Amino acid sequence: MSIDITWGRGDGTAAVSTVAELDAALDTISHAHTEQLPYCVTLIAPSEADFPVMLDICVGHAERSFVYYVAADGSSAWGYQPDLEPGPAFTFDYAGTPTDAWPERTRVTDATARQAARQFLTSGGQRPPALAWETVE
């Protein structure tokens, strides 16, 4: 399966179908923007549903990330690691707009966010089991 990746406002798009390609794309995004804000990267799985199946992760922050999942039925959830306290407040680039990350949403390490992205790719867009999930009401 191939998924699409987007980041920034027209900064980039990529299509990946292997974990190696995904890791390389995330590394490129993270390293290319070390002097700028961390990026919200959106992974989009193919779907015939009304809503695109998506996973947002943050790349480029030294300490934390976030993970947000949108299912084919439009429901969504924030991922978190139960053993982590809320992270530091920081600003990230969300489609070209500086956006503040809520500390309670940054209860994810970069390594776990990347693991979730790999699971999203290899499962065909299923919600990654690497994290616990808080459903958005």
Side-chain angles (χ1 to χ4, degrees):
M1 179 186 87
S2 178
I3 62 171
D4 293 324
I5 302 173
T6 63
W7 63 96
R9 180 174 291 161
D11 291 345
T13 61
V16 299
S17 55
T18 67
V19 169
E21 291 172 347
L22 174 63
D23 286 343
L26 294 176
D27 286 346
T28 298
I29 296 164
S30 180
H31 296 322
H33 304 289
T34 56
E35 300 299 320
Q36 299 175 25
L37 296 175
Y39 269 100
C40 176
V41 176
T42 301
L43 292 75
I44 306 165
S47 171
E48 295 180 19
D50 291 339
F51 291 92
V53 177
M54 300 185 302
L55 188 76
D56 286 341
I57 68 169
C58 181
V59 299
H61 190 273
E63 298 174 37
R64 294 294 180 101
S65 185
F66 56 77
V67 178
Y68 181 69
Y69 177 78
V70 179
D73 65 2
S75 65
S76 61
W78 287 95
Y80 66 96
Q81 292 174 245
D83 58 333
L84 284 182
E85 293 296 320
F90 63 88
T91 302
F92 63 96
D93 180 303
Y94 181 74
T97 302
T99 304
D100 294 331
W102 303 326
E104 63 273 13
R105 299 294 183 221
T106 61
R107 291 179 56 192
V108 181
T109 63
D110 182 67
T112 302
R114 287 175 179 241
Q115 179 184 8
R118 290 180 198 109
Q119 290 173 341
F120 181 79
L121 169 67
T122 59
S123 71
Q126 297 299 309
R127 191 167 72 182
L131 297 162
W133 295 92
E134 178 185 335
T135 303
V136 176
E137 301 283 330

